[in-house]
Amino acid sequence: MAAPLPEGVSAEAMSSALDRFARIVGADWVFTEDKITPYEDPYTISNDETEHRPYAAVAPASTEEVQEIVRVANEFGVPLWPVSRGKNFAYGGAAPVMSGTVVLDMNRMNRILEVNEEFGYALVEPGVSYFELYDYIQEKGLKLWIDVPDPGWGSVVGNALDHGIGYTPYGDHFAMQCGMEVVLPNGEVVRTGMGAMPGNNTWQLFKYGYGPYVDGIFSQSNFGVVTKMGIWLMPEPAGYRPYLITFENEDDIETVTERLRPLKVAGVIQNGATVRSLVLDAAITRTKSQYYDGDGPIPPSVAKTMMADLDLGMWNFCGALYGPPPVMDTLWTAIRDSFADIPGVKFYFPEDRRHKVDLLLHRAETMKGVPKLTEFNFLNWDGGGGHVGFSPVSPITGKDAIKQYNMVSSRVREYGFDYMGLLAIGWRDLHHVTVIVYDKTDPDERKKLDELFNILVDEAAAEGYGEYRTHIRYMDRIAKTYSWNDNALWKMHETIKDALDPNGILAPGKSGIWGKNRRKA
């Protein structure tokens, strides 16, 4: 099915723009018609086949080519949707918010420009994956660790810009970025922070430079195309010890979270630790049919069978210790003693696990920065192969954790899905990421999922919980929940958008931000 032309763009203008793009990057790197399938959402939710469909894609190989493409797009009014690698699955992949948009695919821009072992940083282009950066560091024998999200095929740059998280002490990815090169919507290139000074030697060392700190406006936005970014890397520690603590009861999450907060704020818990639900963890190594062939979510009796079989709890806290052995011993004593009085608690190190394919053995790799794709095994849990993430944020309190869990899990089960969630412990925040696995081939199930997701958004907003990241289908909806003072923040975003991108050609609708030419009432 052919994609529709974007709003306000004629067939002649689009054809002329694509011809010019081909002259810039070469005809082999402009994709249309049947060649745009990789740029569609692999886990589509809508039953309208025209929604979120790109018209074409263009793949530049350099910052200069990005500049030229942006200038041509302005000339013909053709909207562009930049992606680093297009692997932002569960949030839309490479697909645009607005149908007919041309995907600006920077996968070919995959140079690792510098890795500095002394200061612990890398300077990379957006096409560099976690696998590629990890392999480079291993081949060079550098004593550095990267921080990875669950799927290692994603972009280091793209994940940081979308506020992604990982599992080492460097788990807040955007906090670890330092210095950007950005192509603005008019084709001009800027370097942020110390990069604005010719001949500087601290671009990847000092974030702020002089004057306003602007790097944040290029995350989750459509204000520019990031073509280079610095990322801080973790020096290899003197020791490493991953651990798993399991808890038997659903309502333990209240006590566990309350105990976690002081440990995290005080730095006793060093890494981006996670408390994970039973089904999410079981789905890494098992399928639902191995335990249950009935309809709807698994019953409590099946959950108990799975817990015994896999040595898991209803909640499973994965963390790690880093540093010299005496430091790790001291930290472990504090962590263990904080949870020891919870009935049914169990403590594990990797050598205590009896299965060769196991949750802790998998997390032991990701918590030391080894990129994997193992986590995607959960797509096999119930067949159908689709998933979407619902990701509200709350304080790290037991009250909020149990409240969010009860709200979300009850709705998810009401709609016939198994609850598959994790609570990621930030510096002072709790990211409650619920993965909803569904049959992407079933129109009725997609419709049911869409209804569920909208209810979850409304109920979370009513309790003051805002999503930090979302699927392209819900970007406008989530933006509207950030409405304090008559939507003052999004009005400011629109003012910036109109100043930097008066023709509205860059990523229309990204994060609910539209140019004035397509702004919704």
Short mmCIF file of all heavy atoms in Angstrom, two decimals, residues 13 24 56 89 100 102 105 127 131 145 184 210 220 228 247 272 278 306 323 360 398 413 432 441-442 457:
data_model
loop_
_atom_site.label_atom_id
_atom_site.label_comp_id
_atom_site.label_asym_id
_atom_site.label_seq_id
_atom_site.Cartn_x
_atom_site.Cartn_y
_atom_site.Cartn_z
N ALA A 13 6.36 18.40 -5.78
CA ALA A 13 7.37 18.85 -4.83
C ALA A 13 8.11 17.66 -4.22
O ALA A 13 9.34 17.69 -4.08
CB ALA A 13 6.73 19.69 -3.74
N ILE A 24 22.44 14.04 -3.78
CA ILE A 24 23.28 14.29 -2.60
C ILE A 24 23.90 13.00 -2.09
O ILE A 24 25.11 12.94 -1.83
CB ILE A 24 22.45 14.94 -1.48
CG1 ILE A 24 21.97 16.34 -1.91
CG2 ILE A 24 23.25 15.03 -0.18
CD1 ILE A 24 20.90 16.92 -1.00
N ALA A 56 9.07 7.94 2.13
CA ALA A 56 10.36 7.52 1.57
C ALA A 56 11.39 7.60 2.69
O ALA A 56 11.07 7.97 3.83
CB ALA A 56 10.76 8.41 0.40
N PHE A 89 12.22 0.14 19.14
CA PHE A 89 11.04 -0.71 19.11
C PHE A 89 10.25 -0.59 20.41
O PHE A 89 10.80 -0.29 21.46
CB PHE A 89 11.44 -2.16 18.86
CG PHE A 89 12.05 -2.40 17.50
CD1 PHE A 89 12.80 -3.53 17.25
CD2 PHE A 89 11.88 -1.49 16.46
CE1 PHE A 89 13.37 -3.76 16.01
CE2 PHE A 89 12.43 -1.70 15.22
CZ PHE A 89 13.19 -2.84 14.99
N GLY A 100 3.60 10.11 5.59
CA GLY A 100 4.14 10.82 4.45
C GLY A 100 5.47 11.48 4.70
O GLY A 100 6.12 11.96 3.76
N VAL A 102 9.41 11.86 5.30
CA VAL A 102 10.57 11.15 4.78
C VAL A 102 11.53 10.85 5.94
O VAL A 102 11.93 11.77 6.66
CB VAL A 102 11.30 11.99 3.70
CG1 VAL A 102 12.59 11.28 3.25
CG2 VAL A 102 10.38 12.20 2.50
N ASP A 105 17.54 8.61 7.69
CA ASP A 105 18.17 7.44 8.32
C ASP A 105 19.68 7.64 8.40
O ASP A 105 20.37 7.64 7.38
CB ASP A 105 17.84 6.19 7.48
CG ASP A 105 18.53 4.94 7.99
OD1 ASP A 105 19.14 4.99 9.08
OD2 ASP A 105 18.47 3.92 7.30
N GLY A 127 24.90 6.49 13.97
CA GLY A 127 24.72 5.12 13.51
C GLY A 127 25.49 4.08 14.30
O GLY A 127 25.35 2.87 14.05
N PHE A 131 26.70 -2.64 20.22
CA PHE A 131 27.55 -3.76 19.81
C PHE A 131 28.86 -3.25 19.20
O PHE A 131 29.94 -3.74 19.52
CB PHE A 131 26.83 -4.64 18.79
CG PHE A 131 25.82 -5.59 19.39
CD1 PHE A 131 24.51 -5.58 18.95
CD2 PHE A 131 26.19 -6.49 20.37
CE1 PHE A 131 23.58 -6.46 19.48
CE2 PHE A 131 25.26 -7.37 20.91
CZ PHE A 131 23.94 -7.36 20.47
N TRP A 145 34.19 0.36 30.33
CA TRP A 145 32.90 -0.30 30.16
C TRP A 145 31.90 0.70 29.57
O TRP A 145 31.90 1.88 29.93
CB TRP A 145 32.35 -0.78 31.49
CG TRP A 145 33.04 -1.98 32.06
CD1 TRP A 145 34.17 -2.59 31.58
CD2 TRP A 145 32.65 -2.71 33.22
NE1 TRP A 145 34.50 -3.64 32.38
CE2 TRP A 145 33.59 -3.75 33.40
CE3 TRP A 145 31.60 -2.59 34.13
CZ2 TRP A 145 33.51 -4.67 34.44
CZ3 TRP A 145 31.52 -3.50 35.17
CH2 TRP A 145 32.45 -4.53 35.33
N LEU A 184 21.01 22.24 12.57
CA LEU A 184 19.74 22.92 12.85
C LEU A 184 18.80 22.80 11.65
O LEU A 184 19.22 22.47 10.54
CB LEU A 184 20.01 24.38 13.19
CG LEU A 184 20.87 24.62 14.44
CD1 LEU A 184 21.10 26.11 14.64
CD2 LEU A 184 20.23 24.00 15.67
N TYR A 210 30.09 27.90 28.06
CA TYR A 210 29.80 29.25 28.54
C TYR A 210 28.44 29.66 28.00
O TYR A 210 28.12 29.44 26.84
CB TYR A 210 30.88 30.21 28.06
CG TYR A 210 30.65 31.65 28.46
CD1 TYR A 210 30.80 32.07 29.76
CD2 TYR A 210 30.26 32.60 27.50
CE1 TYR A 210 30.58 33.38 30.14
CE2 TYR A 210 30.02 33.91 27.85
CZ TYR A 210 30.19 34.31 29.17
OH TYR A 210 29.97 35.61 29.52
N GLN A 220 14.60 14.22 22.85
CA GLN A 220 13.15 14.02 22.67
C GLN A 220 12.49 15.22 21.99
O GLN A 220 11.37 15.60 22.33
CB GLN A 220 12.47 13.74 24.02
CG GLN A 220 12.78 12.37 24.58
CD GLN A 220 11.86 11.97 25.73
OE1 GLN A 220 11.05 12.75 26.22
NE2 GLN A 220 11.97 10.72 26.16
N LYS A 228 26.88 14.16 15.93
CA LYS A 228 27.98 13.65 16.74
C LYS A 228 27.62 13.87 18.21
O LYS A 228 26.96 14.86 18.54
CB LYS A 228 29.31 14.36 16.44
CG LYS A 228 29.88 14.13 15.05
CD LYS A 228 31.20 14.88 14.87
CE LYS A 228 31.78 14.66 13.48
NZ LYS A 228 30.97 15.27 12.41
N PHE A 247 11.74 -11.96 46.14
CA PHE A 247 10.70 -11.72 47.13
C PHE A 247 9.44 -12.46 46.71
O PHE A 247 9.05 -12.43 45.54
CB PHE A 247 10.43 -10.22 47.26
CG PHE A 247 11.67 -9.41 47.56
CD1 PHE A 247 12.42 -8.84 46.53
CD2 PHE A 247 12.10 -9.25 48.86
CE1 PHE A 247 13.56 -8.11 46.81
CE2 PHE A 247 13.25 -8.51 49.15
CZ PHE A 247 13.98 -7.94 48.12
N GLY A 272 22.33 1.18 38.11
CA GLY A 272 20.94 1.34 37.71
C GLY A 272 20.21 0.03 37.96
O GLY A 272 20.03 -0.78 37.06
N LEU A 278 7.73 -11.31 37.99
CA LEU A 278 7.93 -12.72 37.69
C LEU A 278 7.81 -13.04 36.21
O LEU A 278 8.69 -13.67 35.63
CB LEU A 278 6.92 -13.56 38.49
CG LEU A 278 6.86 -15.05 38.13
CD1 LEU A 278 8.18 -15.74 38.46
CD2 LEU A 278 5.68 -15.72 38.81
N MET A 306 5.95 -21.55 38.56
CA MET A 306 7.06 -20.91 37.85
C MET A 306 8.14 -20.45 38.83
O MET A 306 9.33 -20.60 38.57
CB MET A 306 6.52 -19.71 37.05
CG MET A 306 5.64 -20.11 35.88
SD MET A 306 4.70 -18.71 35.20
CE MET A 306 5.99 -17.54 34.84
N GLY A 323 33.97 -2.36 42.60
CA GLY A 323 35.07 -1.79 43.36
C GLY A 323 35.96 -2.85 43.98
O GLY A 323 35.78 -4.05 43.75
N LEU A 360 19.71 -14.17 36.40
CA LEU A 360 20.88 -13.50 36.97
C LEU A 360 22.08 -13.62 36.04
O LEU A 360 22.86 -12.66 35.89
CB LEU A 360 21.22 -14.05 38.35
CG LEU A 360 22.45 -13.42 39.03
CD1 LEU A 360 22.31 -11.90 39.11
CD2 LEU A 360 22.66 -14.01 40.41
N GLY A 398 7.52 3.37 48.83
CA GLY A 398 6.70 2.16 48.84
C GLY A 398 5.26 2.46 48.49
O GLY A 398 4.61 1.70 47.77
N ARG A 413 -4.36 -6.93 33.42
CA ARG A 413 -4.99 -8.26 33.54
C ARG A 413 -6.46 -8.22 33.16
O ARG A 413 -6.99 -9.17 32.59
CB ARG A 413 -4.80 -8.78 34.96
CG ARG A 413 -3.35 -9.16 35.25
CD ARG A 413 -3.09 -9.37 36.72
NE ARG A 413 -1.70 -9.77 36.96
CZ ARG A 413 -1.04 -9.56 38.08
NH1 ARG A 413 -1.65 -8.92 39.09
NH2 ARG A 413 0.20 -9.96 38.22
N HIS A 432 8.56 3.13 36.23
CA HIS A 432 7.76 1.91 36.21
C HIS A 432 7.46 1.56 34.74
O HIS A 432 6.56 2.12 34.13
CB HIS A 432 6.45 2.12 36.98
CG HIS A 432 5.56 0.91 37.01
ND1 HIS A 432 4.23 0.98 37.33
CD2 HIS A 432 5.81 -0.39 36.75
CE1 HIS A 432 3.69 -0.22 37.28
NE2 HIS A 432 4.63 -1.07 36.93
N THR A 441 -0.62 -9.29 14.79
CA THR A 441 -1.35 -9.69 13.57
C THR A 441 -2.86 -9.68 13.76
O THR A 441 -3.60 -9.89 12.81
CB THR A 441 -0.92 -11.10 13.14
OG1 THR A 441 -1.37 -12.06 14.11
CG2 THR A 441 0.59 -11.19 13.00
N ASP A 442 -3.33 -9.43 14.98
CA ASP A 442 -4.75 -9.53 15.30
C ASP A 442 -5.35 -8.12 15.46
O ASP A 442 -5.06 -7.43 16.43
CB ASP A 442 -4.92 -10.32 16.60
CG ASP A 442 -6.37 -10.55 16.97
OD1 ASP A 442 -7.25 -9.84 16.44
OD2 ASP A 442 -6.64 -11.43 17.82
N VAL A 457 -2.92 5.86 30.49
CA VAL A 457 -2.43 7.25 30.46
C VAL A 457 -3.32 8.15 31.32
O VAL A 457 -2.82 8.94 32.13
CB VAL A 457 -2.39 7.77 29.01
CG1 VAL A 457 -2.10 9.27 28.98
CG2 VAL A 457 -1.34 7.02 28.20
#
